Amino acid sequence: MRSVLAGDVEDAARSLLGCTLSAGGVTVRLTEVEAYAGTGEDPASHAHRGRTTRNAIMFGPAGFSYVYFTYGMHWCMNVVTGTPGVASAVLLRAGEVVSGVDAARARRLTVKRDVDLARGPARLCSALGIDRSAYGLDLFDRASPVRLAWGPSAVPATAIAAGPRVGVTGAHDLEWRFWIAGDPTVSAYRRHVPKTRI
């Protein structure tokens, strides 16, 4: 699986759909992801301007976790892709809780429907109990507290939809968000709207 992730970021993103992510007693089947390229290629990428302490793991190797804090309150997780030294990663946007539903519910007390437990990147991390401690983990190490695995069957290309990424200011029309068409756990699309100055 690591070799698949080491290729093109768009192909890697599509391959992650249907995979399972396990952490904190919960397993989620991934239903929506978003691709981000590297230095100088993708203005929406955290690695666009080069390597920093925050984004260093994005420069590889593939199969490691890039976790970051956003809006002062949420954790989000990416899977690092591509070849070592060339930054790229795939944001995990949504999934279906397939195991450990009670644990996910306990972490998401305000959620009324199970389809919403991991619907959105911050909700997904919350349902799995993922935080800063998951940064830089090898997702294929059996001893890792966060593990990625192939699903029982690959999602056929005809079942994968693509569209613009959510809430980014740069390259916002680039169709690098991929999801399983018709899946109820996929998050709602919200185009970034710049704030107007008065």
Side-chain angles (χ1 to χ4, degrees):
M1 186 172 187
R2 199 185 301 271
S3 61
V4 175
L5 295 178
D8 177 81
V9 69
E10 292 179 73
D11 293 338
R14 289 184 181 92
S15 75
L16 284 168
L17 292 172
C19 291
T20 59
L21 186 71
S22 300
V26 175
T27 297
V28 167
R29 174 180 171 261
L30 299 175
T31 59
E32 182 187 7
V33 297
E34 211 165 61
Y36 289 89
T39 307
E41 299 177 48
D42 181 359
S45 171
H46 289 178
H48 179 60
R49 292 184 176 86
R51 187 188 299 258
T52 65
T53 301
R54 179 196 197 199
N55 69 25
I57 196 66
M58 282 184 71
F59 289 80
F64 283 73
S65 60
Y66 168 44
V67 177
Y68 65 91
F69 201 52
T70 185
Y71 298 116
M73 65 179 102
H74 299 304
W75 294 102
C76 295
M77 179 177 160
N78 295 253
V79 175
V80 175
T81 63
T83 57
V86 180
S88 64
V90 176
L91 174 66
L92 307 182
R93 286 202 53 84
E96 173 194 8
V97 177
V98 295
S99 177
V101 174
D102 288 343
R105 287 175 183 156
R107 294 185 180 114
R108 307 275 301 122
L109 292 173
T110 61
V111 173
K112 296 180 180 178
R113 305 185 310 157
D114 286 352
V115 295
D116 294 325
L117 286 170
R119 188 177 187 223
R123 290 177 176 182
L124 184 147
C125 283
S126 179
L128 290 161
I130 289 173
D131 58 18
R132 178 67 174 78
S133 65
Y135 181 97
L137 293 177
D138 183 346
L139 299 172
F140 300 116
D141 182 344
R142 291 185 180 182
S144 174
V146 183
R147 294 171 311 285
L148 185 66
W150 289 118
S153 59
V155 176
T158 54
I160 297 175
R165 295 179 293 190
V166 177
V168 296
T169 55
H172 50 265
D173 289 326
L174 190 61
E175 295 195 342
W176 274 10
R177 182 170 63 98
F178 305 99
W179 66 92
I180 299 174
D183 193 288
T185 64
V186 173
S187 61
Y189 173 70
R190 292 182 183 87
R191 181 186 173 102
H192 174 75
V193 178
K195 293 181 180 179
T196 56
R197 295 182 181 180
I198 300 174

